[in-house]
Amino acid sequence: MSWNNGYGMGGQPSGTPWTGSADGAAGPRPLDQLPKYARETTPENPWPVNVLSRKWHDVIERWPTVWIEGQIVEINARRSTSVYITLRDNFEDVSISVNGFGAFAQMARGFKQGDRVVVHGKADLWVKQTRLSLRGDDIRKVGVGDLKEQIDELRRKLKGEGLFDESNKVPLPEFPKNIGLICAPQARAEGDVITNVMLRWPTVDFTVQHVHVQGPQCPPEVIDAIRRLDADPNVDVIIVARGGGSFEDLIGFSDEGVVRATAACVTPIVSAIGHEDDWTLIDLAADVRASTPTDAAKRVVPDVREQQQLIANAIGTMRMRIGAMVDNETRLVEGYANRPSLTRPQTMLDPYQRQIDDAVRTMRIGLTRIVDDEQLRVEKLEATLRALSPQSTLDRGYAVLQSADGHVVDDAATLKVGDEITVTLRRGAVVAQTTKIVEP
């Protein structure tokens, strides 16, 4: 193979390679001192990485162009002159990178994630990272992506069963003591959740379940982890966390079994899959959807500083209200104490004394009137009595004659000569005997 000092295919540098020796001696070696073929390399005389990468590049350059079919799971067409696409096989978990420039970039701008397309291009190797991709020159849409179509169909099916209804959602505990965390081992998502939770609420504990978060092992492991944490009585809330990724990387969290396990989970569960723009079916079944693992940490625990501030504000408000109540009661007591009824207690009796005086005066007037009326009546009765009394008759010179048995004698025929009689005069009485009776 021959090499030049210019640039190879795709603007990649292809200058004469130089390298140090295998025994560590410093200094470059020209290409003609290196083995010509791969079979001639030895531990003492190996190829440098750039030589192998360039040889592969030249081999791939001779490959023919090809039409391929797949589904767009990721597309970056932010620049008008270039586009980068991740194309996934319609049936297998296999993907390939496709890139293109100029006219191909303009054609690809009308496509979006989930579209099923056919792409024409040529294999290309980026020497700097020895990365194989397809350099596209034509792209055509052949229908809605099968994977996205399947997910949409599953979403409609599960929604019809009521798995996403708001009535199934349960509120998160206000002050959880133990958080169940489902994530990949040594994943950044785990650190984000634990770090942010501990910064906000340091007293909380974690029960962590490590699982695969992509690939065929993802769904069954996530389902098992959810069920384990849901059965743990110490776990107050569950977080399912994963960092960002392509559409195909997150596909495991749209698995029907994962969604059903999430919907059936009695313990409150929070989904924190990918970034804010990433959506999976587990987000619809979870009680709360967090945009990122960090956002999940902020949602499941309160901020201790905010709680302390709330407590301080509540104490301040309580003290202010108690102070106001005490001040009001103090003013009320002082008002009572300064009333004349307390400074001069006798004034409390003045109204009643006046009532008593008025009653006594009224009573005296009434009694005087009654006495006067009765006295007048007695005087009238006395006058009448005197007028009817025998004494008044005697006072005029008449006398009352009574027989010996005390009866008044008003008929002379009732007496006999010799009877004893009593004669009552105006003053005194005379006892006598009849000596003569004169008939009328």
Side-chain angles (χ1 to χ4, degrees):
M1 279 180 194
S2 62
W3 299 86
N4 58 50
N5 290 326
Y7 286 85
M9 182 69 176
Q12 302 177 85
S14 58
T16 302
W18 298 86
T19 181
S21 63
D23 59 2
R29 288 189 299 157
L31 182 62
D32 56 10
Q33 296 182 11
L34 297 174
K36 185 177 181 180
Y37 300 105
R39 64 176 176 272
E40 296 175 355
T41 59
T42 65
E44 294 74 22
N45 194 16
W47 275 347
V49 171
N50 73 85
V51 171
L52 177 63
S53 181
R54 292 173 190 278
K55 286 181 179 292
W56 282 358
H57 175 271
D58 284 354
V59 172
I60 292 170
E61 277 291 299
R62 296 195 295 269
W63 289 2
T65 59
V66 62
W67 283 96
I68 63 172
E69 179 183 357
Q71 182 179 11
I72 297 176
V73 294
E74 189 173 4
I75 182 169
N76 182 349
R78 296 173 186 171
R79 295 182 180 180
S80 60
T81 58
S82 62
V83 63
Y84 299 91
I85 299 172
T86 300
L87 204 62
R88 182 184 185 276
D89 186 84
N90 290 331
F91 305 102
E92 301 291 337
D93 188 12
V94 179
S95 60
I96 187 173
S97 296
V98 179
N99 56 67
F101 305 90
F104 180 80
Q106 294 301 320
M107 286 187 291
R109 293 183 68 83
F111 293 86
K112 64 182 183 302
Q113 184 185 69
D115 287 344
R116 201 176 78 185
V117 297
V118 290
V119 177
H120 184 265
K122 191 175 187 300
D124 180 54
L125 185 79
W126 185 23
V127 175
K128 187 174 182 179
Q129 293 187 0
T130 317
R131 187 167 62 193
L132 182 66
S133 63
L134 184 73
R135 179 67 56 84
D137 54 37
D138 192 0
I139 181 171
R140 304 176 187 179
K141 189 172 183 180
V142 296
V144 179
D146 292 341
L147 191 57
K148 187 174 184 297
E149 179 83 17
Q150 293 171 10
I151 293 176
D152 285 343
E153 183 179 352
L154 178 60
R155 177 185 59 80
R156 291 190 291 268
K157 170 188 172 183
L158 298 180
K159 182 178 180 181
E161 295 180 15
L163 265 66
F164 305 150
D165 292 350
E166 285 297 323
S167 58
N168 296 332
K169 312 295 184 185
V170 295
L172 301 183
E174 189 172 5
F175 302 104
K177 297 179 180 179
N178 188 295
I179 297 174
L181 177 59
I182 301 174
C183 61
Q186 300 179 346
R188 183 176 178 180
E190 179 178 2
D192 289 346
V193 171
I194 294 178
T195 299
N196 283 278
V197 165
M198 297 308 291
L199 287 174
R200 293 172 62 86
W201 201 250
T203 60
V204 75
D205 294 326
F206 282 89
T207 301
V208 181
Q209 293 283 333
H210 289 136
V211 299
H212 284 83
V213 293
Q214 67 184 71
Q217 294 173 287
C218 172
E221 291 185 5
V222 171
I223 293 171
D224 182 64
I226 290 175
R227 290 173 178 171
R228 285 175 180 272
L229 292 177
D230 191 29
D232 189 341
N234 295 322
V235 175
D236 299 316
V237 62
I238 300 172
I239 299 176
V240 182
R242 187 204 191 281
S246 65
F247 178 77
E248 63 178 346
D249 291 339
L250 305 180
I251 199 67
F253 294 95
S254 292
D255 179 83
E256 181 174 358
V258 171
V259 177
R260 290 190 181 278
T262 302
C265 185
V266 177
T267 306
I269 188 168
V270 178
S271 66
I273 308 301
H275 299 304
E276 187 170 358
D277 295 335
D278 296 323
W279 278 91
T280 57
L281 293 187
I282 193 176
D283 296 325
L284 302 177
D287 297 304
V288 173
R289 186 256 177 181
S291 58
T292 62
T294 299
D295 181 47
K298 294 179 180 180
R299 287 174 176 266
V300 298
V301 293
D303 189 335
V304 65
R305 290 175 293 276
E306 292 179 359
Q307 296 301 313
Q308 289 171 343
Q309 187 61 46
L310 289 174
I311 293 173
N313 293 342
I315 291 175
T317 302
M318 180 177 63
R319 286 176 174 170
M320 180 180 66
R321 291 183 178 179
I322 291 177
M325 291 176 61
V326 171
D327 292 341
N328 290 336
E329 295 301 320
T330 300
R331 286 192 293 269
L332 187 61
V333 171
E334 290 175 351
Y336 287 145
N338 293 328
R339 287 184 177 182
S341 58
L342 294 180
T343 56
R344 298 189 301 276
Q346 66 277 7
T347 58
M348 296 176 60
L349 302 177
D350 288 346
Y352 302 104
Q353 184 63 51
R354 285 193 294 271
Q355 292 179 7
I356 293 174
D357 293 343
D358 291 343
V360 169
R361 185 165 47 255
T362 302
M363 183 180 64
R364 285 177 177 173
I365 292 173
L367 290 175
T368 300
R369 182 178 296 111
I370 291 172
V371 169
D372 290 344
D373 292 343
E374 293 302 319
Q375 185 174 2
L376 180 60
R377 180 169 174 272
V378 168
E379 289 176 353
K380 288 182 178 180
L381 291 174
E382 182 181 7
T384 302
L385 184 59
R386 286 182 181 276
L388 297 176
S389 173
Q391 185 65 39
S392 60
T393 304
L394 296 176
D395 290 343
R396 294 197 302 269
Y398 293 93
V400 177
L401 183 65
Q402 296 173 296
S403 62
D405 55 7
H407 289 88
V408 175
V409 178
D410 57 358
D411 186 359
T414 62
L415 295 176
K416 297 189 300 286
V417 176
D419 287 344
E420 185 178 285
I421 59 174
T422 300
V423 180
T424 301
L425 303 174
R426 176 174 175 270
R427 298 179 64 183
V430 176
V431 179
Q433 287 184 340
T434 56
T435 58
K436 181 179 178 180
I437 296 174
V438 180
E439 294 288 341

